[in-house]
Amino acid sequence: MDVQNLSISVGNNPIVRNVSFSIEAGKTLGIVGESGCGKSLTSLAIMGLLEGTQVRLTSGRVIFEGTDILKVSVSERRALLGSRMAMIFQEPMTSLNPVYRIGDQIVEMILQHEPVGRTAAMQRAADLLRRVRIPDPESRLKSFPHQLSGGMRQRVMIAIALASNPVLLIADEPTTALDVTVQAQILDLLEELKTESGMGVILISHDLGVIAQTCHSVAVMYRGQIVEACSTVELFANPLHPYTGGLIVSIPDAYSNVDELNAIPGRVPTIDERISGCAFHPRCHCAKDNCSTQAPQTIQRADHLYQCHYPLEASS
Amino acid sequence: MTLLAVDDLKTWFTIEKSWKPGAADKVLKAVDGISFAIEEGEVLSVVGESGCGKSTVGRTLTKLEAATGGTASLSGKEFLSMSNAEFRPLRQQIQMIFQDPFASLNPRMTIEQTVSEPLKIHGLAQSNAEIRPLIADMLSKVGLDPRVMKRFPHEFSGGQRQRIAIARVMILSPSLIIADEPVSALDVSIQAQVLNLLKKLQSESGVAMLFISHDLGVVRLISDRVAVMYLGRIVEIGPKANIFNNPSHPYTQLLLDSIPQIDPAKRAPKVATLGEPASAANPPSGCAFHPRCPYASKLCSQAAPELQVLESKHQVACHHVGQFERQVAA
């Protein structure tokens, strides 16, 4: 998948601006940022889930297996969604229908995409539950969502997403609602499934720890723009954008003694605020005069992309 | 000096009334016999996963929930058995900060009204002329411009609202703050600011704090001592250094090893997948953690272990403490 210059607006407020990234089979791309930075909107736009809302795609192309999926008809997109690409969401309780049994919800998905009978589909549903490591899958098919724990529900969501062997999985904060021990299990499961099937994964998260542990490459978003993108190892070893650097040091670490966190000052701007120049300059400790007047271009250094006039190593 | 002493605290909820006369109701033991103490000026954190009862501890100690059994005393005065009227003067001493700053501030009250209300309720000041300088002073202490006094909560971001909630609590100069996940609804960069603020205000004013959180990183930053809860009981309690450098209960170890780490060198080796937290409505027999514990023996499924002293102040509730090696790279 290749996303080129994607821009999204609500009314006259641009929310996502010129976002470009690409994702390869078998790799995980992380998109990280704080609330309101546009990371979820980007993924919803890719999935075509913004139609019929106030939100408009103003420009950009999303090339998936050679076709621009923003241009194809609704029915052609339907064929792609769910079968070639699938999505899992943060809250497994609200994404599952509470009045249908787990088995019926998985079967619905299988019947949509495959010409099989109900009995065969039920059998496949049990296999899927086994693949996501749910014990005793045959009897679990008869459970309702409320009878399962949060971690189990997320496993069911993953099973539904995997029903038609997608080549791309978008996971939007898949573990945010879960306890830390369960989160570790779900992340391990996603990793195993990815290795098994060779699909590409876009993982959206606000948690740098989760990103660091699961992704090959990362895009850091701030106020609708990708301010830094490179491989995960490079990002954490050598962050160039002051925002990335600030995020990394503001996480309280359970493995070292710290007395005070180096917090980024100020607050996340709201979408209707207009900020001239670099969107981060009011909160940036490296900002100089031209940061407030001139928006930085995307600069490439080896495989490391960043948008900053005074990247960290140069200024420190 | 001991400020808060909690002894054998129990908070049970009836989840199903029995229709048979004389038969026992079905109860959920959210907090099931925990004891701890907080010294003056000390920060004790309670950590655990959802459903372990950590929030219920805080809500019981502020009498938002009724205790089923046990005692709690503030500076030697038992207060769980008090009537609400008797407890009212003590409320000034025990204040609470909640997780969601969008729900805990009244949307129809200005910031001035919100922060001055506790002063009026407790009769510490009456006239607005008297109160206004106090509020202005408090707002600047929590990092807000005093001129925002006339505004309403919807004009503020999450982090600013949490600062207002902190101002409302600090203006009473309480001796104990119960903070229930005060930063978990905030973005990382804002969370760091609010944590720094809480830490600064705590050390300046010397207020003691019961800090309830699921995030061990946050806990390590803010606490002096840590209590780890699992299904209504404390499984390990001790000074911060002991808990983080020498976690001795298998559950504490699992919690620490499950945190996603940025630095690959700090990552724990993969822990075996060991199921999910059991429900407090239907707890396992013996040690509640035994179905998930890699070191569990027959004894663990039969008898619940009591807290035993490991070193001076470090206590652990495990039958096999010291009999297993923690598998960690570092």
Side-chain angles (χ1 to χ4, degrees), chain A residues 16 48 53 75 95 113 138 154-155 159 169 179 236 242 298 300 303:
Chain A
V16 171
T53 64
S75 60
S95 345
H113 295 287
E138 278 82 10
Q154 199 57 289
R155 284 171 196 264
L169 179 71
D179 279 319
F236 291 106
T298 302
Q300 181 159 15
D303 284 332

Side-chain angles (χ1 to χ4, degrees), chain A residues 82 86 94 250 276:
Chain A
T94 49
S250 51
S276 61

Side-chain angles (χ1 to χ4, degrees), chain A residues 209-222:
Chain A
V210 169
I211 296 276
Q213 207 150 329
T214 52
C215 300
H216 297 93
S217 53
V218 193
V220 182
M221 286 188 75
Y222 186 77

Side-chain angles (χ1 to χ4, degrees), chain B residues 252-315:
Chain B
T252 315
Q253 298 177 356
L254 174 69
L255 274 184
L256 276 167
D257 293 345
S258 302
I259 307 171
Q261 283 297 316
I262 286 178
D263 185 350
K266 286 183 189 163
R267 267 173 220 165
K270 281 258 158 70
V271 271
T273 317
L274 283 166
E276 298 180 3
S279 155
N282 188 17
S285 63
C287 169
F289 187 59
H290 85 265
R292 303 177 73 193
C293 181
Y295 315 109
S297 67
K298 210 173 162 203
L299 175 65
C300 302
S301 61
Q302 291 161 350
E306 295 295 319
L307 276 174
Q308 47 178 307
V309 177
L310 207 61
E311 273 174 66
S312 59
K313 282 177 171 171
H314 188 183
Q315 294 178 299

